[in-house]
Amino acid sequence: MSVFLRHILLRWPLTLAPCTEDFDDPILSWDEPQNAACAALLAPLESLFYHCGKVAHENGYNCDVYLIPVDSLCDHLERLTLPPSDVREAVRVTLQKSLRRWRQNSTEMVRLTVPHRYQTFSTEQQVWGHESEAHPPALCKRARELTTGRCDACGCVHDANALIFRDDNPENHADENLGVSCPVCHFSHRLNTLGANDGVMVYLPELAAADVSLLLRAVILARTQGNARQKEGATQILNWLTGHRKETEAFWGTSHPGEFGQALMQASLLIREDLQQRLRHMVLIVNPTLLNHPALTGPSPETWSDRLKKYHSQN
C-alpha cells in the first residue's frame, strides 16, 4: 500500500477543487465508499503530488492538502479501463467532467484535501501462538529491505530497528503491512505492555514524534557519555518533557501509558480511529532506563542546550 493511501482516514469526506482564482465551480466532495474509490484512482500519481501541509477541519480532524497537475491527472484517467459497475468508474466519469471544465478555465493544478489518519499509538494484538514466539529472521530481513531500515515514525535508520506490523496483526505478512521502528519509537507500538514506571503520556502539540525520539536520544547519550554539565542538561530536558504530564492528567485523568493502551485495545474500530485523532498531540516519554540500548545512536550531547532553547521558545 502506498504512503498516500496508508495515511488517509476514510471516515470523512475527500474533496477536490480547482486552484484558479475567480472561478466559481462546485467543489467535488465524496463520502464512503466513493472517497476510497477516488483515493485509489489518484494513488498511482502519488509521486506527482505536492504536499502543501495540513489544515484543521471545522469538525475537529486534520487534513492533508496536496496539489496535483491537471494534465497528468487527465492523462491518467483517460488510460484507465474499469468495469461499468465499479464504483471507481462512476467517480472517474464525474471527475473527468469537472476536469474538462477546469481545463477550459486554464486550471493547471487541482487541490486535494484528505482527512489524515493518525496512528501515533498502537497495541500488540494477542494472537494465539505469537505471544512468546520470536519473529522469523527472514521476515525481519524483508521488513528492513522494504523500508530501507527507516523507522516508520521518526525516520531513523539503524540496524537496531525492529519489525512491526502496521495493522498490529502479527499474522499479516503482506509487504505493505511490514515496517520497522527504532528502540525509542517501538514503545509507542505496544502501549498496552507498559507499566506506570515505564513512561508517561504528555501533551505536546508543538513537538512531533520524530522530535521526541531525537531529544530522548540526546538525553540518553548525554546521561551515559556526557560530562557533568551535559548530564545536568539532559536532566533538564527530561524534566521539561515529563512536566507536560500535568495537562494530560488534568484532561484524561491519567498519564499512565498502559491505561491508554487498554483503552485502544477495548475500543471498536470506529471509536479507536476517533481516539487516535484525539491523541494526535500526545507523545510518549519513555523512561530512559528502558532505552540504554547498546546500539542506540543519536545527536551529540553538545547539542542538548540548543534543542532545549528551541522547544522552550515553541512552548
Side-chain angles (χ1 to χ4, degrees):
M1 183 183 294
S2 71
V3 174
F4 167 67
L5 291 177
R6 202 167 68 234
H7 290 135
I8 295 179
L9 182 59
L10 295 174
R11 287 194 57 206
W12 289 291
L14 172 155
T15 64
L16 273 166
C19 293
T20 308
E21 294 183 0
D22 303 323
F23 181 39
D24 186 17
D25 199 69
I27 293 175
L28 295 178
S29 180
W30 286 290
D31 292 301
E32 295 181 292
Q34 287 81 9
N35 57 359
C38 183
L41 289 175
L42 300 177
L45 297 177
E46 181 176 1
S47 62
L48 301 180
F49 290 7
Y50 176 74
H51 187 243
C52 301
K54 286 185 170 59
V55 295
H57 192 275
E58 60 183 10
N59 288 339
Y61 56 87
N62 286 351
C63 295
D64 288 304
V65 180
Y66 302 92
L67 296 183
I68 308 174
V70 169
D71 289 343
S72 299
L73 181 53
C74 288
D75 292 343
H76 168 64
L77 295 176
E78 286 290 342
R79 291 193 300 268
L80 290 177
T81 302
L82 299 168
S85 59
D86 194 319
V87 65
R88 291 175 299 169
E89 176 62 12
V91 171
R92 181 175 77 105
V93 170
T94 301
L95 182 52
Q96 284 181 310
K97 289 179 180 178
S98 293
L99 285 170
R100 282 194 289 267
R101 293 196 306 272
W102 298 346
R103 253 180 157 178
Q104 291 172 359
N105 200 63
S106 302
T107 300
E108 296 181 357
M109 307 287 285
V110 292
R111 183 176 65 254
L112 170 66
T113 305
V114 293
H116 185 87
R117 184 170 186 250
Y118 286 91
Q119 290 181 294
T120 308
F121 305 106
S122 58
T123 59
E124 290 185 334
Q125 280 192 20
Q126 299 300 309
V127 178
W128 183 260
H130 284 272
E131 288 83 355
S132 59
E133 183 179 303
H135 301 307
L139 191 62
C140 297
K141 180 182 178 182
R142 179 150 63 99
R144 286 194 295 270
E145 290 173 348
L146 290 168
T147 61
T148 64
R150 187 176 300 278
C151 174
D152 273 17
C154 72
C156 171
V157 178
H158 200 278
D159 291 341
N161 291 359
L163 167 68
I164 60 169
F165 301 96
R166 289 172 175 147
D167 68 353
D168 303 320
N169 180 3
E171 294 190 327
N172 182 359
H173 294 177
D175 285 354
E176 62 269 17
N177 194 47
L178 302 181
V180 297
S181 65
C182 72
V184 175
C185 298
H186 197 64
F187 288 94
S188 293
H189 292 280
R190 48 195 187 99
L191 279 185
N192 55 311
T193 68
L194 300 181
N197 294 325
D198 294 333
V200 294
M201 299 286 284
V202 302
Y203 178 74
L204 277 171
E206 69 273 27
L207 206 60
D211 294 326
V212 173
S213 176
L214 196 64
L215 276 175
L216 285 176
R217 290 167 187 275
V219 166
I220 294 163
L221 290 176
R223 285 162 61 100
T224 57
Q225 304 174 20
N227 55 36
R229 182 184 62 83
Q230 291 163 351
K231 290 179 179 179
E232 181 182 354
T235 300
Q236 290 183 37
I237 290 180
L238 194 59
N239 289 340
W240 177 76
L241 289 170
T242 57
H244 290 78
R245 66 191 300 172
K246 296 178 181 177
E247 290 91 336
T248 304
E249 291 168 352
F251 186 82
W252 294 95
T254 181
S255 60
H256 190 316
E259 294 183 0
F260 282 90
Q262 290 299 320
L264 286 169
M265 284 186 67
Q266 295 170 15
S268 65
L269 179 59
L270 292 180
I271 294 177
R272 194 180 310 136
E273 295 280 12
D274 286 340
L275 186 54
Q276 289 279 15
Q277 281 282 334
R278 297 180 68 190
L279 296 177
R280 65 186 182 273
H281 295 313
M282 304 279 288
V283 291
L284 170 67
I285 306 301
V286 183
N287 188 332
T289 60
L290 301 179
L291 296 171
N292 290 330
H293 196 288
L296 190 66
T297 59
S300 167
E302 283 80 4
T303 66
W304 74 263
S305 57
D306 291 336
R307 296 188 187 283
L308 182 61
K309 291 177 182 177
K310 173 186 173 182
Y311 293 119
H312 266 314
S313 67
Q314 294 176 347
N315 187 19

